[in-house]
Amino acid sequence: MKKTKKLFSIIMSVCIFIAALPVFGFAFPVNKEKGPFNYYIENGYAVINDYDGSVTGELVIPEKLGGYPVGGITRWKFQNDPKITSVVLPDGFLYLGELVFAGCFNLTKVTLPDSLCGVGRAVFNGTPWYEALPKNGDIYIGNVLAEVDKNRKDTEIIVKEGTTGIADYLFINNTVLQKVVLPESCNYIGENAFNGCTSLKEIIMPENIKYMGQYAFGNCSSLEKFNIPTGINRISNALLYGASALKEIIIPYEVKDIGSGAFSRCFAITSVIIPDGVERIAGDAFSECTALEEVTIPVSMKIIESGAFGNCKNLKTLIYKGTDEQYSGIVLGNKDNDSFVALKEQNRELQENTVYVPCSFEVGTMTFPRGTSVADYCEALFEPFTSVAKPDNGFYSFEEILAIIVSGSILEKGLADTVIGDLDNNGKIEASDARLALRSSVGLETVDFAKVYTADIDNDKYITSADARIILRASVGLEDASLWK
């Protein structure tokens, strides 16, 4: 299968900061230059967070402040200003905060860029411009779905193509909605967007989602599985808080940070694999996950905050791929993490110099230490495979070994009978195959050439969470497995 990676030039991880930081009242250095706006710089964008009230008539938000493109405006900043009659937002602008222009009763004209992807609650309420928008269906602010037709009682909603974002609080406490399909154009899901949607069982969204706000899927108590898009590099606070039926989550390698309470009170989760790349697990991230028994922590981990695994009373197994010295370097908040801290001694038994998992195949046998990832294993194959000797005393290259696999001589049955993606060889692609691929990607499953061939869907010679995700999508009909080569 040949995969193409889409480029997204506008919406970046800055959305995380623009949307979330004002909520918690964090303090930032305030910059001021000649003009009516104060702003701070976050992730390469200027975010307006104060205004002196001096503009009369047309309010033009500048393209740049302090040399940085303007990406957003925090909440309330122009609320109830009677002097503003029109607003112009620049190209590249991303986010409007809650109530930012609400009550501007002389505002009759608004110019919005296509780049706008996030809007807070009631951004333009009480303005003539907003009141003039058609109210006989869903309401859009630019390309952002801002309000849903109040007469809609649909159990399934398919959001139209071209929609760039789902506004904050859009479907909050909708107890009828069971399924939502978001278009490929969507890259933003606002805070509390689906919070309290207790009947929601399925959410189909594109991989290019760049931001999902806090509590975006909080208290979705019927949601059993959730795939975090590969465009996400930070899991927001309380993203899936109280998703009590959630049984399985796949966290992509792109994630660096797991926010506070992100999976708190997800009572049905029994195991979690934190992928390589994650550096911080915030407080209460997995608190009260009372069925959680096994956690895999990557070598990249730097901080596990207090309470991250609080009251995980059934947590029995900690798997850590690094050395004890590396483990001791993790900053670990002890409060309410007792069950996690107690596993450190067990972790000593999992080090690569004491426990090994054999990997056998016809042309030779190699032994791989427990904790060796499939990525490391495959990387070794790019060099001459010195553990597998040829009859002429030479050594097999990766290409030659691959040819052996393709010939079917290593597999118990020929590849003509093998279903790509079917790791357990039961003749069909299921969620269990995705789980096997994910466990293989972090060294928790025995690795052999057959499994590498079967699970490496994107043909990059590695088994990663990306392959697991593709297999999982195929298991529910979102990928066409017949196209895999």
Side-chain angles (χ1 to χ4, degrees):
M1 181 186 69
K2 183 178 181 181
K3 293 181 67 179
T4 58
K5 295 183 178 179
K6 297 182 179 180
L7 299 178
F8 306 98
S9 59
I10 298 176
I11 175 65
M12 304 297 286
S13 60
V14 66
C15 285
I16 295 171
F17 301 96
I18 294 174
L21 290 175
V23 175
F24 301 106
F26 293 167
F28 296 94
V30 175
N31 298 277
K32 178 73 175 177
E33 62 182 31
K34 187 176 181 180
F37 309 113
N38 287 353
Y39 60 95
Y40 61 85
I41 304 302
E42 193 63 60
N43 203 34
Y45 283 80
V47 181
I48 295 172
N49 66 342
D50 208 355
Y51 162 64
D52 65 9
S54 62
V55 173
T56 297
E58 184 176 64
L59 175 70
V60 178
I61 302 300
E63 290 188 6
K64 292 185 177 181
L65 285 171
Y68 294 88
V70 176
I73 303 172
T74 60
R75 57 182 58 181
W76 312 317
K77 297 309 169 186
F78 302 91
Q79 187 179 11
N80 299 324
D81 189 332
K83 300 189 301 299
I84 298 175
T85 59
S86 66
V87 172
V88 178
L89 301 180
D91 290 337
F93 189 91
L94 298 168
Y95 179 80
L96 287 169
E98 179 182 16
L99 296 165
V100 67
F101 291 105
C104 294
F105 55 82
N106 287 314
L107 179 59
T108 59
K109 182 180 179 182
V110 177
T111 302
L112 301 170
D114 290 340
S115 55
L116 183 69
C117 60
V119 297
R121 182 165 47 180
V123 172
F124 290 102
N125 283 27
T127 67
W129 176 81
Y130 182 77
E131 296 304 323
L133 294 177
K135 298 297 193 299
N136 57 348
D138 297 341
I139 300 174
Y140 276 79
I141 294 178
N143 293 321
V144 178
L145 182 56
E147 288 188 37
V148 178
D149 186 351
K150 292 181 173 57
N151 294 319
R152 290 183 73 167
K153 302 296 181 182
D154 310 56
T155 59
E156 177 177 341
I157 290 180
I158 300 176
V159 178
K160 71 178 183 180
E161 185 61 47
T163 301
T164 56
I166 303 298
D168 299 357
Y169 296 88
L170 182 62
F171 295 99
I172 190 169
N173 295 329
N174 183 323
T175 58
V176 176
L177 189 59
Q178 297 180 19
K179 180 179 179 180
V180 174
V181 180
L182 301 181
E184 288 295 320
S185 56
C186 186
N187 47 37
Y188 179 100
I189 300 174
E191 65 178 65
N192 288 283
F194 297 93
N195 189 5
C197 291
T198 53
S199 297
L200 184 62
K201 296 180 179 180
E202 185 177 8
I203 174 77
I204 298 175
M205 53 189 165
E207 290 296 304
N208 55 287
I209 294 284
K210 295 294 183 182
Y211 174 73
M212 297 185 291
Q214 63 171 351
Y215 287 98
F217 297 94
N219 299 298
C220 290
S221 54
S222 295
L223 201 60
E224 294 188 0
K225 59 184 178 181
F226 190 89
N227 295 338
I228 297 171
T230 56
I232 296 294
N233 59 26
R234 180 183 185 274
I235 298 176
S236 296
N237 296 347
L239 176 67
L240 285 152
Y241 174 92
S244 54
L246 190 66
K247 296 179 180 179
E248 186 174 30
I249 53 170
I250 295 180
I251 302 173
Y253 278 92
E254 290 78 6
V255 170
K256 305 298 181 187
D257 184 272
I258 299 175
S260 176
F263 305 103
S264 179
R265 300 180 66 82
C266 291
F267 299 134
I269 293 177
T270 58
S271 67
V272 172
I273 297 175
I274 310 296
D276 290 329
V278 175
E279 298 180 350
R280 183 185 78 117
I281 302 176
D284 297 313
F286 294 92
S287 67
E288 298 189 70
C289 290
T290 51
L292 185 61
E293 296 179 356
E294 179 181 289
V295 175
T296 300
I297 300 295
V299 176
S300 58
M301 188 63 63
K302 296 179 180 178
I303 301 172
I304 300 175
E305 294 184 354
S306 293
F309 294 90
N311 199 29
C312 292
K313 57 186 179 182
N314 286 308
L315 184 56
K316 301 171 183 176
T317 304
L318 167 65
I319 299 171
Y320 182 67
K321 297 193 297 177
T323 65
D324 194 61
E325 182 179 1
Q326 289 172 314
Y327 185 87
S328 65
I330 299 175
V331 178
L332 189 63
N334 291 337
K335 181 182 179 183
D336 296 328
N337 273 337
D338 292 344
S339 58
F340 190 84
V341 175
L343 292 171
K344 185 172 181 179
E345 289 305 313
Q346 176 189 324
N347 176 66
R348 294 178 190 275
E349 299 176 3
L350 302 179
Q351 301 313 309
E352 63 181 15
N353 61 344
T354 57
V355 177
Y356 294 84
V357 177
C359 171
S360 301
F361 40 90
E362 284 184 10
V363 291
T365 299
M366 292 190 64
T367 301
F368 290 91
R370 185 169 185 166
T372 299
S373 70
V374 174
D376 294 334
Y377 167 70
C378 291
E379 185 176 357
L381 299 185
F382 285 97
E383 300 300 325
F385 207 70
T386 55
S387 295
V388 184
K390 288 182 176 180
D392 60 0
N393 295 322
F395 298 102
Y396 288 103
S397 68
F398 175 81
E399 289 75 15
E400 289 171 319
I401 291 174
L402 188 60
I404 293 172
I405 297 172
V406 173
S407 73
S409 61
I410 288 178
L411 300 176
E412 292 182 2
K413 54 183 180 178
L415 291 181
D417 300 319
T418 300
V419 178
I420 303 300
D422 176 24
L423 274 69
D424 56 12
N425 291 321
N426 69 351
K428 53 186 176 181
I429 299 173
E430 302 169 304
S432 58
D433 296 307
R435 176 173 173 78
L436 282 172
L438 189 62
R439 288 176 62 84
S440 295
S441 75
V442 293
L444 300 182
E445 292 288 332
T446 302
V447 178
D448 58 29
F449 286 132
K451 186 167 291 185
V452 171
Y453 178 83
T454 305
D456 178 23
I457 308 302
D458 57 12
N459 287 330
D460 66 352
K461 302 183 179 71
Y462 297 85
I463 304 175
T464 67
S465 63
D467 296 307
R469 180 180 300 278
I470 297 169
I471 294 171
L472 188 62
R473 286 174 62 85
S475 72
V476 293
L478 298 181
E479 290 275 346
D480 185 356
S482 67
L483 299 177
W484 298 350
K485 304 292 184 182

